[in-house]
């Protein structure tokens, strides 16, 4: 009952401030203040404030918040472990499946063969051969 009274008083005070703003020809600010002032009144009328007060003093509700917190903690810890492993997914048999090897990277644009650069063809192929050896091909 006390929470509903406080919310109603806040709404009335906000509407009074909005009326003063409208009197001073600040209609946009007055409309915005009136909108904010009507929110607590709307929460009281829908019963949301009563629900919040009942929840605040209910041990079962606090136990439910504890269970939700535990679920969130488990979710975040599994995400952290997944990130630490590098995003690898394991199947039920423990075998990894993936189209690309975990250590493979995208092709580098820095190493390109330039036929008109004046260098021999052997040097161009040696760069490519080094890249292939690096990736185990």
């Amino acid at each position: 009952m006390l929470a509903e009274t406080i919310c109603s008083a806040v709404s009335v005070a906000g509407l009074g401030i909005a009326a003063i703003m409208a009197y001073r020809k600040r209609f946009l600010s007055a409309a915005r203040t009136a909108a904010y002032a009507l929110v607590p009144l709307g929460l009281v009328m829908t019963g949301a404030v009563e629900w919040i007060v009942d929840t605040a003093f209910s041990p079962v509700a606090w136990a439910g918040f504890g269970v939700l917190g535990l679920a969130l903690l488990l979710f975040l810890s599994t995400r952290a472990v997944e990130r630490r492993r590098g995003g690898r997914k394991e199947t039920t048999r423990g075998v990894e499946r993936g189209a690309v090897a975990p250590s493979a990277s995208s092709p580098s644009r820095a190493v390109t063969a330039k036929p008109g650069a004046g260098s021999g063809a052997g040097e161009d192929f040696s760069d490519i051969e080094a890249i292939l050896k690096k990736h185990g091909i």
Side-chain angles (χ1 to χ4, degrees), residues 13 43-44 49 53 71 76 92 95 100 106-107 115 117 126-128:
L43 290 174
V44 167
V49 173
V53 170
L76 292 176
T92 56
V95 179
V100 180
S106 61
S126 65
D127 292 341
I128 295 171

Side-chain angles (χ1 to χ4, degrees), residues 58-78:
S58 171
V60 175
W62 284 107
F65 285 127
V67 170
L68 288 174
L70 178 65
L72 180 66
L73 180 68
L74 287 172
F75 177 72
L76 292 176
S77 64
T78 56

Side-chain angles (χ1 to χ4, degrees), residues 35-126:
Y36 283 128
L38 290 174
V39 169
L41 186 62
L43 290 174
V44 167
M45 293 175 76
T46 59
V49 173
E50 183 180 341
W51 177 80
I52 289 171
V53 170
D54 289 342
T55 302
F57 297 111
S58 171
V60 175
W62 284 107
F65 285 127
V67 170
L68 288 174
L70 178 65
L72 180 66
L73 180 68
L74 287 172
F75 177 72
L76 292 176
S77 64
T78 56
R79 295 282 295 176
V81 169
E82 185 179 86
R83 259 190 243 127
R84 178 175 270 180
R85 287 185 179 175
R88 294 178 289 182
K89 295 181 181 178
E90 296 181 10
T91 61
T92 56
R93 296 180 188 156
V95 179
E96 292 182 25
R97 291 184 183 179
V100 180
S103 62
S105 64
S106 61
S108 174
R109 293 179 185 245
V111 179
T112 57
K114 297 180 183 176
S119 62
E123 291 179 13
D124 292 337
F125 288 119
S126 65

